[in-house]
């Protein structure tokens, strides 16, 4: 005699743009058990990369995820640059920072929209995506693609920003900030949003650390963990301070991301204002040899690349530890005991990117 | 509740929608829409084939066969940089949808220089 | 009102309801800064659905979908002919229960949950309508809705709290935020399309039409609060409708437990208070 | 037929048949006996209906007073014996108090009963008799078949267990021993109930009252399992409280009024004149006695416990006997407490029961318990109607009694058939009944719809009750809340039985159903529909005459209101049989609603042809497992369907999906029970509130 | 009827195994700037209600079954659009062991749109073309369309 409803939540499900399955056991509307089923977007990318020429892998790495594709290509390139011991020109480094923060802006806006959608706030979703289009326009103008830029390359960047563009960018960033500030208050104050998110999906500081949460999930639980603090690239030269919230619930995770958008816009302006003159690309030569780890902060948290190369043009080993992968154990910790209606909100609150988690 | 101002504001403003099929908005100059090929200068060096991450080219030098599959190309531009003869270029416009995919095929005499493209054929 | 008028009303109601739904979509789009669909979009949708293949998961489902529409029409007929308001409420309940049963009959977890939520919505909304019937009686000495037209003063004057409660259930009936729980026009929610998940083609169209009729019914109920002069009532109904659309856009969807608590706390409480106040 | 002959058929015949059934152990003869008795009762019912006029007729059998008294004492002695044997101290106290009270009244006060009429027949009694004899005897016939199967199954040991079939020989033995005794009490119950209906002398009333208690005790305990024994004891205990209340009432009446008020008629008549405290308190105690039988909160538990008995017992207890005896008493006394505060108090208790029982029904997953809660709730509604005490309200009470009797009997019998077929009475296990037992499902649908949807009689009764209750604003809230909750649990239940897998209609072969079942269920189902269709007729012929002359008197004398105001002719104005039902408060369009129902059934038949449309699988987020025999329409360059990992099986994968790690999982459905809200604590709270209400009611009578 | 069909294409999006690039561009079509609801198109979560299935990403071993199930549950007339290079051919992942190739390997595809990812404008083009096909299929009648689409 059981009162449980067993629901296949996904893979094809309107709240998940990406397929993932949660086998939910629900009593009344309380979730008593959640078992994830993965593998719907596993493309075998890491293995595919081992078959490729290492230069081609830039484009492959970009397509780990279409959302923060730029940071993937940056991380990959910086791995290869380390192996080849290539000096990247400072202007290229600053440009990389601009684009990587830009992708953080668009990723967070995208997420805020989907998050709003998960609790049925359609108009807010629309507004977030509307503002996001401005950042996409910037990417397209500066990089050539709306989401997948293909501008980062080994040794630097493929496209430069001319002076007009730089100024236009600074202005545009200010406008995005203005637009965003108009629509961001609900995430902090709206009654119905609070009702849906405060105290939902709580992850304590201890759990966050012991389960290895990363990125905004970690920071929303009160831990100031951010790989950018390591000061890779030009991060050591700009003013940066991670955004931390103490609540540990969905509401805090939302707030962290809202504030990070503002911080990212700030970083972009800083970088653009101090953009050094000079080359954007160093030519490189030489053989790959050895292995390297590289960590960088994605919109969703810390990501880790491992590249091992022998002496030929393809890689021996290529591994990516993506942030969503790290955030799934905390997610499974949060789900049991919540209401069915909370499931989309909680799942989205870690900003799952299945395509990166499964590669 | 905090949305009230925003939505009312929207109501009394023009919608921001870009009415795409009816009004066309020029893509940015540098925008990567599609790869265009101009095969007149091609020397069948296969540099493009080697660099392409998506395997969009299939070049058979001996037979003079040059195939390009627009439905594999991810428009990364790697081949454009690689081509010594500047045969390839990325255009900001995008490809229209099709009901059936066709590979573009050129027959090029390997050493000879100019051959007009034989046009698209169905494989 | 005459019989001919009521028949005309029943035939016109789906059109009116469809137009209102189209208006809703247009205004919603504009509130979100979009251009939005044409106003007659709902008709396109429904006609298209009639032209699509209809599948069913079992036969009773079909019966109950028809029952949903028929009893909705019955409720409308009872309302338009200004019959006994309680009987109207019962007919409306029958219609909604048919919808829930159509969902229950499918054995799909999504429509099952949708149906469960649907009956919770009935649970939340029905009491207020019954209270409204009592208010009607208290005001006019009869449960017949027609009595209102002889009253000489709007119902709103004596029963403002019940009016507030009716506004609350208007949101529930329209299946809009914050109460778009059992099924909603926009798919992005946890139970896919809820009750209607397993409907397709013609059956989805029928349930859509029934929903339009429901919209007309509930707006007519709002109208009853100010029948004399009639245009004030119509303005009142339209204003309530517009307010709902705005509310839909400034609220997140809330949870089912919250809905029941609100409806029973506020809706029930306000209505009862109003009635007690009036009778004491 | 003479009146005496009628009483012989109504009261004595069932007792005689019961005795014969017990003695003659041939199943064939038993069947003949019981069916003949049923026919006789039906004939008597018809005769009675046409020969009773508006005025009550009294009959005296003074020579029976002594045997009745002896019977009373024997029953009490037996109860005391049970209490001692089963070590139930409270029951012992109550039994002993009753015994003492009765002896005291008889031998110390010595009421003079020679002038008191023993039995009375009025229109209300006619309604009750028709209900008992028609529905009761149908249940008897149903029980013939049911108990055959029942002994085969060796009974349901507990609420959740499944059957352990006995071998045919063993069951035959079992049958001889057991079911004879069962039918003895079962058939006797009908006779006793008829006696209760006609009893006028309060001692007679008390005798039959206690006799029904005893009968139900024995029937509930029939299984002799531990659970049934303890539930039977609980029933005995709670009903004995009612008995005690009655003894107190009798004591007060005898003690304070010098033997003037020794019959129900006298009570009713005096109610119009005397508003003295002892009389009010006596009334309150009589009503409280009614509450115990009618299982009003806080006494609901005996009725729920009674669900362990074989289903015919539940059907009998719920539809026409036992619980109806409770509301019958309260209804009968309605004119006596008209216009005093007690009346409002009764409304409140009834309304509260209606609400609370409906609420509790939501949290239950046992089909019979759901039916039981629904009975409690509806009885609450009837009690509330009695308390409202206006012409519309009391006729609503009569309507509800009639329709509830028929509909609930139908539902119980349906559940009994289901239970025997699937071996469980859990609602969750009734999923897909619609394809497994379509005929029963039709019956159940009629039954469930009959309980709460238009245009059926129960809803009509509820409509009348709601319209009437406008005069009691305090209970409006309770009634409104209760009626929505009712809709909720019925929908849940029906939905559960309806849900079936796609295409199951074509795959599943329905289980065969015995002719006995089909006949009895069919009669009742037709009865429910027919009575609802002829609702105006029922009201006109039964309900109005039953309560008609109460208020004419009552209102004239108590409040001095003009008779014309409450003239029945102007009150109900049923147009034609199918027509509208008009009262000053509103209008119930019977014909129109029926038309709607007919259209609901026929229109889909007209438009829908299952062959032409595709049966589609349910949406499982795209992870439906494929049936082994499903063919994919794929062209050659596509990957053959076999590449995808999948499970082999003969169409069993329907409704299952591929879960994590490709493990097949069934998308099972669980009902909503809101156990976190509707917890034990809540039940205790409700009971507590009910006890307070009851005390308050008696307190109201004191002042 | 056909006019309505053309004016009310309800789309269902499924990600067979994409990198998100195409998905977010598909979602972007619904947002204020592109607003495909202008054409009556709404994103519908349930295959039984959908007219156009937008598939992004290549199929892998696991999404194959899902895709086929969804396709089967859609009601006629129905149109499938393969969105992006992954969906048309596999694109940059063509070497991967887990992938089976373009969407047309699993279900009949009516519209192909290239781009990695295609811009929202291009997706709108694809929907417009899908609508045309929908009209055609609707004319051909419901019965014959299943064969027509795969043949
Ligand atoms: S390595 Fe891991 S993922 Fe790969 S096959 Fe083995 S267990 Fe599976
Ligand atoms: S989750 Fe991974 S793939 Fe997705 S956006 Fe972040 S880093 Fe990129
Ligand atoms: S030993 Fe390490 S490398 Fe080898 S299989 Fe195990 S985890 Fe992988
Ligand atoms: S990579 Fe991490 S998660 Fe995967 S198997 Fe190894 S330890 Fe476990
Ligand atoms: S990254 Fe993943 S979760 Fe985020 S939008 Fe894309 S698919 Fe959805
Ligand atoms: S643009 Fe990139 S993907 Fe396209 S053909 Fe050139 S190298 Fe290949
Ligand atoms: S790289 Fe240029 S020249 Fe060489 S084969 Fe390609 S297109 Fe021709
Ligand atoms: S086509 Fe490009 S953007 Fe689209 S899913 Fe494939 S890799 Fe990602």
């Amino acid at each position: 005699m059981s009162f449980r409803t067993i629901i296949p939540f996904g893979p094809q499900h309107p709240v998940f743009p990406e397929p993932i399955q949660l086998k939910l056991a629900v009593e009344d509307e309380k979730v008593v058990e959640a078992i994830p089923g993965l593998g719907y977007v596993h493309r075998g990318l890491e293995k595919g990369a081992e078959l490729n020429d290492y230069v081609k892998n830039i484009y492959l790495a970009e397509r780990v995820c279409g959302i923060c594709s730029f940071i993937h290509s940056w991380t990959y390139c910086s791995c290869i640059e380390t192996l080849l011991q290539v000096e990247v020109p400072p202007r290229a480094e600053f440009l990389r920072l601009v684009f990587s923060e830009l992708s953080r802006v668009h990723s967070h806006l995208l997420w805020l929209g989907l998050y709003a959608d998960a609790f049925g706030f359609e108009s807010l979703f629309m507004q977030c995506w509307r503002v996001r289009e401005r950042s996409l326009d910037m990417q397209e103008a500066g990089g050539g693609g709306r989401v997948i830029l293909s501008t980062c390359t080994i040794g630097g960047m493929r496209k430069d920003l001319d002076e007009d563009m730089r100024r236009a960018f600074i202005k545009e960033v200010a406008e995005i900030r203005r637009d965003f500030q108009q629509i961001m208050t609900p995430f902090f104050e709206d009654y119905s949003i609070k009702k849906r998110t405060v105290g939902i999906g709580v992850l304590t500081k201890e759990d966050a650390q012991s389960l290895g949460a990363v990125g905004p999930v970690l920071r929303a639980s009160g831990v100031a963990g951010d790989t950018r603090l390591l000061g890779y690239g030009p991060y050591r030269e700009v003013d940066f301070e991670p955004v931390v919230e103490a609540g540990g619930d969905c509401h805090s995770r939302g707030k962290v991301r809202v504030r990070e958008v503002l911080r990212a816009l700030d970083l972009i302006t800083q970088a653009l204002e101090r953009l050094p003159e000079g080359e954007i690309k160093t030519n490189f030569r030489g053989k790959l040899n050895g292995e390297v780890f590289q960590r960088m902060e994605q919109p969703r948290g810390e990501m880790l690349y491992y590249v091992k190369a022998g002496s030929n043009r393809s890689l021996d080993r290529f591994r990516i530890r993506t942030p969503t992968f790290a955030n799934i154990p905390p997610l499974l910790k949060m789900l049991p005991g919540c209401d069915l209606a909370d499931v989309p909100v909680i799942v989205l609150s870690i900003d799952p990117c299945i395509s990166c988690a499964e590669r | 509740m905090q949305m009230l101002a925003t939505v009312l504001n929207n109501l009394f403003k023009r919608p921001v929608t870009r009415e795409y099929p009816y009004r066309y908005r020029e893509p940015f100059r540098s925008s990567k829409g599609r790869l265009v090929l101009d095969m007149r200068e091609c020397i069948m060096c296969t540099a493009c084939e080697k660099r392409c991450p998506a395997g969009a080219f299939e070049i058979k030098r001996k037979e003079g066969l040059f195939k390009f599959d627009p439905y594999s190309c991810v428009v990364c531009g790697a081949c454009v940089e690689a081509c010594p003869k500047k045969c390839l270029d990325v255009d900001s416009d995008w490809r229209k949808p099709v009901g059936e995919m066709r590979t573009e095929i050129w027959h090029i005499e390997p050493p000879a220089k100019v051959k007009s493209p034989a046009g698209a054929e169905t494989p | 009102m005459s019989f001919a008028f009521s028949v005309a009303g029943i035939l016109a109601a789906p059109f009116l309801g469809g137009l209102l739904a189209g208006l809703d979509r247009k205004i919603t789009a504009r509130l979100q800064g979009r251009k939005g669909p044409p106003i007659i979009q709902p008709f396109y949708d429904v006609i298209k659905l009639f032209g699509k293949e209809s599948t069913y998961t079992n036969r009773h489902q079909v019966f109950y979908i028809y029952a949903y529409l028929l009893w909705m029409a019955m409720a409308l007929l009872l309302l338009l002919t200004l019959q006994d308001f309680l009987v109207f409420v019962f007919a409306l309940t029958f219609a909604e229960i048919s919808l829930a049963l159509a969902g229950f009959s499918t054995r799909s977890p999504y429509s099952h949950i949708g149906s469960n939520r649907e009956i919770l919505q009935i649970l939340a909304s029905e009491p207020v309508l019954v209270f409204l019937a009592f208010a009607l009686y208290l005001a006019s000495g009869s449960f017949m809705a027609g009595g209102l037209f002889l009253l000489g003063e709007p119902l709103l004057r004596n029963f403002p709290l019940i009016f507030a409660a009716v506004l609350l259930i208007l949101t529930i009936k329209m299946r809009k935020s914050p109460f778009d729980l059992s099924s909603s026009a926009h798919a992005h929610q946890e139970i896919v399309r809820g009750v209607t998940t397993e409907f397709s083609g013609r059956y989805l169209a029928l349930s859509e039409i029934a929903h339009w009729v429901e919209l007309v019914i509930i707006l007519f109920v709002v109208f009853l609060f100010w029948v004399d002069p009639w245009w004030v009532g119509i303005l009142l109904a339209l204003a309530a409708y517009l307010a709902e659309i705005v509310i839909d856009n400034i609220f997140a969807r809330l949870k089912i437990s919250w809905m029941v608590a609100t409806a029973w706390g506020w809706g029930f409480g306000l209505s009862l208070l109003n009635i007690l106040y009036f009778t004491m | 037929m003479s009146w005496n002959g009628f009483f012989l058929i109504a009261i004595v015949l069932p007792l005689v048949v019961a005795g014969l059934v017990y003695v003659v152990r041939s199943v064939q003869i038993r069947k003949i006996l019981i069916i003949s008795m049923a026919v006789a009762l039906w004939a008597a019912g018809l005769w009675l209906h046409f020969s009773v006029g508006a005025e009550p007729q009294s009959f005296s059998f003074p020579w029976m007073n002594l045997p009745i008294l002896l019977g009373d004492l024997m029953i009490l002695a037996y109860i005391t014996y049970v209490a001692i044997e089963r070590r139930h101290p409270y029951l012992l106290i109550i039994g002993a108090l009753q015994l003492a009270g009765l002896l005291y009244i008889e031998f110390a006060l010595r009421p003079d009963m020679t002038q008191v009429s023993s039995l009375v027949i009025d229109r209300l009694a006619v309604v009750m008799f028709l209900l008992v004899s028609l529905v009761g005897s149908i249940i008897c016939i149903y029980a013939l078949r049911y108990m055959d199967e029942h002994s085969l199954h060796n009974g349901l040991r507990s609420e959740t267990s499944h059957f352990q079939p006995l071998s045919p020989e063993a069951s035959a033995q079992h049958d001889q021993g057991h079911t004879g005794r069962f039918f003895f009490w079962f058939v006797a119950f009908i006779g006793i109930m008829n006696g209760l209906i006609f009893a006028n002398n309060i001692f007679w009333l008390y005798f039959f009252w206690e006799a029904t208690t005893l009968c139900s005790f024995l029937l509930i305990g029939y299984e002799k399992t531990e659970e049934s024994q303890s539930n039977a004891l609980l029933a005995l205990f709670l009903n004995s409280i009612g008995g005690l209340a009655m003894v107190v009432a009798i004591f007060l009446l005898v003690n304070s009024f010098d033997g003037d008020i020794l019959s129900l008629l006298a009570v009713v008549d005096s109610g119009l004149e005397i508003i003295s405290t002892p009389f009010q308190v006596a009334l309150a105690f009589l009503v409280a006695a009614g509450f115990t039988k009618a299982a009003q909160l806080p006494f609901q538990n005996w009725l729920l416990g009674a669900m362990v008995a074989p289903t015919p017992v539940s059907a009998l207890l719920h539809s026409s006997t036992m619980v109806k005896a409770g509301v019958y008493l309260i209804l009968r006394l309605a004119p006596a407490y008209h216009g005093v505060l007690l009346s409002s108090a009764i409304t409140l208790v009834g309304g509260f029961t209606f609400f609370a029982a409906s609420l509790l029904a939501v949290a239950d997953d046992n089909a019979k318990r759901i039916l039981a809660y629904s009975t409690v709730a509806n009885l609450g509604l009837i009690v509330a109607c009695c308390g409202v005490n206006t012409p519309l309200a009391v006729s609503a009470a009569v309507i509800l009694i009639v329709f509830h009797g028929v509909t609930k009997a139908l539902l119980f019998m349906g559940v009994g058939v289901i239970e025997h077929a699937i071996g469980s009475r859990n609602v969750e296990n009734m999923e897909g009944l619609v394809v497994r037992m379509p005929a029963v499902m039709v019956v159940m649908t009629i039954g469930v719809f009959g309980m709460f949807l238009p245009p059926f009689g129960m809803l009509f009764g509820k409509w009348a009750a709601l319209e009437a209750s406008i005069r009691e604003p305090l209970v409006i809230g309770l009634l409104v809340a209760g009626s929505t909750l009712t809709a909720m649990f019925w929908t849940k239940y029906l939905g559960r039985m309806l849900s079936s897998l796609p295409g199951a209609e074509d795959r599943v072969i329905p289980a065969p159903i015995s002719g006995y079942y089909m006949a009895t269920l069919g009669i009742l189902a037709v009865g429910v529909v027919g009575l609802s269709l002829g609702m105006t007729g029922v009201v006109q012929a039964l309900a109005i005459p039953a309560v008609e002359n109460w208020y004419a008197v009552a209102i004239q004398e108590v409040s001095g209101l003009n008779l014309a105001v409450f003239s029945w002719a102007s009150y109900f104005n049923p147009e034609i049989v199918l027509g509208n039902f008009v009262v000053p408060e509103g209008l119930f369009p019977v014909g129109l609603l029926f038309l709607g129902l007919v259209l609901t059934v026929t229109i889909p038949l007209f438009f829908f042809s299952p062959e032409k449309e595709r049966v589609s699988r349910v949406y499982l987020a795209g992870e439906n497992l494929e049936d082994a025999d499903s063919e994919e329409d794929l062209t050659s360059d596509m990957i053959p369907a076999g590449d995808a990992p999948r499970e082999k099986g003969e169409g069993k994968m329907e409704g299952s999906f591929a879960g994590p790690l490709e493990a097949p999982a069934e998308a099972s459905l669980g009902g909503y029970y809101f156990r976190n809200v509707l917890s034990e604590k809540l039940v205790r709270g409700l009971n507590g509130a009910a006890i307070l209400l009851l005390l308050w009611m008696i307190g109201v009578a004191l002042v | 009827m056909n006019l309505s069909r053309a004016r009310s294409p309800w789309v269902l999006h499924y990600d067979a195994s994409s990198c998100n690039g195409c998905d977010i561009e598909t979602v972007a079509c619904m947002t204020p700037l592109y607003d495909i609801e202008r054409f009556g198109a709404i994103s519908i979560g349930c295959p039984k209600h959908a007219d156009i299935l937008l598939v992004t990403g290549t199929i892998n071993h696991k999404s194959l079954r899902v895709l086929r199930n969804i396709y089967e549950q859609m009601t006629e007339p129905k149109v499938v659009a393969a969105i992006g290079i992954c969906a048309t051919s596999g694109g940059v992942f063509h070497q991967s062991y887990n992938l089976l190739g373009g969407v047309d390997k699993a279900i009949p595809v009516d519209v192909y749109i290239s781009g990695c990812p295609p811009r929202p404008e291009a997706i709108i083009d694809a929907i417009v073309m899908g609508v045309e096909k929908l009209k055609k299929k609707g004319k051909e009648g419901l019965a014959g369309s299943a064969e027509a689409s795969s043949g």
Side-chain angles (χ1 to χ4, degrees), chain C residues 79-114:
Chain C
L79 194 59
L80 286 183
T81 49
L82 301 174
Q83 292 296 312
D84 192 307
F85 200 82
L86 267 179
V87 179
F88 150 73
V89 176
F90 294 143
L92 190 65
T93 310
F94 194 159
E96 283 157 358
I97 281 174
S98 303
L99 177 64
L101 287 174
F104 272 131
S105 73
T106 62
R107 213 184 177 283
S108 140
Y110 292 98
S111 53
H112 179 80
I113 294 174

Side-chain angles (χ1 to χ4, degrees), chain A residues 59 63 158, chain B residues 32 34-35 48-57 68-70 72-81 88-90, chain E residues 92:
Chain A
Y59 309 109
R63 285 162 176 81
R158 286 164 72 187
Chain B
K32 289 189 285 227
R34 61 175 172 184
L35 189 71
C48 50
E49 187 185 9
K50 281 191 196 115
R51 289 289 200 86
C52 177
F57 297 104
F68 168 67
D69 180 2
S72 288
C73 167
V74 298
V75 209
C76 62
C79 57
V80 179
E81 284 167 12
L88 310 172
D89 195 13
V90 169
Chain E
V92 73

Side-chain angles (χ1 to χ4, degrees), chain D residues 196-495:
Chain D
L196 177 58
I197 290 168
F198 297 119
N200 185 36
N201 183 323
I202 41 178
F203 290 96
W204 287 50
L205 178 74
Y206 177 70
F207 166 73
F208 287 120
W209 190 266
E210 286 301 289
T212 53
T213 301
L214 186 68
C215 268
S216 63
F217 165 69
L218 292 162
L219 282 170
I220 295 169
Y222 165 72
E223 291 285 3
K224 296 230 184 287
T225 61
E226 205 162 297
E227 191 182 8
S228 66
Q229 293 287 317
S230 69
N231 286 354
L233 198 62
L234 180 67
L236 187 62
F237 170 60
L238 288 176
N239 278 305
S240 296
I241 296 181
L244 182 61
M246 204 175 248
V247 170
V248 172
I250 293 175
F251 169 78
L252 285 169
L253 290 175
V254 174
N255 195 27
S256 324
F257 300 100
D258 279 347
D260 282 347
I261 308 176
L262 288 177
S263 73
L264 279 177
L265 277 186
V267 171
V268 172
D269 288 343
S270 333
L272 312 170
E273 295 145 11
I274 312 167
I275 311 191
S276 75
T277 302
F279 181 73
Q280 291 297 320
V281 176
L283 263 185
F285 273 102
L286 279 178
V287 169
F291 285 167
T292 59
K293 273 241 163 15
Q296 301 294 288
L297 251 54
F299 303 115
Q300 83 279 29
N301 276 334
W302 76 262
L303 190 58
L304 293 161
M307 289 304 113
V308 298
T311 301
V313 177
S314 322
L316 195 67
L317 293 185
H318 281 258
S319 62
S320 47
T321 62
M322 199 65 181
V323 297
K324 288 292 155 60
V327 285
Y328 167 74
L329 182 62
I330 298 171
L331 179 58
R332 173 140 291 227
L333 295 174
Y337 52 78
H338 181 273
V340 291
L341 198 50
L342 178 62
S343 196
S344 299
I346 291 170
T347 319
L348 210 53
V349 175
F352 181 75
T353 299
F354 181 52
F355 164 72
S358 303
L359 190 64
L360 295 175
V362 171
D364 219 302
D365 62 351
N366 178 319
K368 282 180 78 177
R369 284 175 66 95
I370 291 177
L371 296 189
Y373 274 124
S374 140
T375 301
V376 175
N378 281 305
L379 295 171
L381 188 59
I382 297 170
V383 169
C385 283
C386 298
V388 172
N389 226 336
T390 63
L392 183 59
V394 289
S395 35
V398 177
I399 297 162
L400 284 169
I401 288 180
V402 172
F403 281 102
H404 179 257
V406 182
T407 319
K408 198 42 83 49
L410 177 70
L411 280 172
F412 265 111
M413 286 156 63
V415 168
V417 176
I418 294 170
E419 186 185 330
H420 270 186
I422 67 171
S424 162
R425 47 179 75 157
N426 191 309
V427 170
E428 303 281 313
N429 294 332
M430 294 192 187
E431 191 177 288
L433 266 186
V434 70
V435 292
R436 288 187 278 167
M437 313 176 81
V440 178
M441 187 67 203
V442 170
V443 169
M444 292 297 288
T445 310
I446 292 176
V448 171
F449 276 22
M451 289 302 293
F452 77 110
L453 283 181
F456 291 101
M458 284 299 290
L459 183 91
F460 173 69
K462 200 188 282 176
W463 169 79
L466 283 171
E467 305 236 322
S469 69
I470 188 70
R471 286 147 224 260
E472 294 284 348
L474 268 178
V475 292
I476 285 178
L478 291 170
L479 294 191
V480 171
S483 93
T484 22
L485 286 166
T486 309
M488 181 168 166
F489 69 79
W490 282 124
T491 313
K492 255 178 24 166
Y493 182 26
L494 193 61

Side-chain angles (χ1 to χ4, degrees), chain E residues 131-151:
Chain E
V131 165
E132 290 304 315
K133 297 239 170 175
L134 210 55
K135 272 208 262 186
K136 211 166 118 242
K137 284 191 182 179
K139 275 215 188 82
E140 280 164 8
L142 297 178
S145 56
E147 285 80 0
S149 60
S150 56

Side-chain angles (χ1 to χ4, degrees), chain C residues 59 104 107 126 143 198 203, chain D residues 431 484 499 505 585 613:
Chain C
R59 292 171 200 172
F104 272 131
R107 213 184 177 283
E126 202 201 8
F143 283 94
E198 303 295 334
Y203 305 121
Chain D
E431 191 177 288
T484 22
S499 76
E505 285 115 329
E585 283 90 349
E613 289 172 13

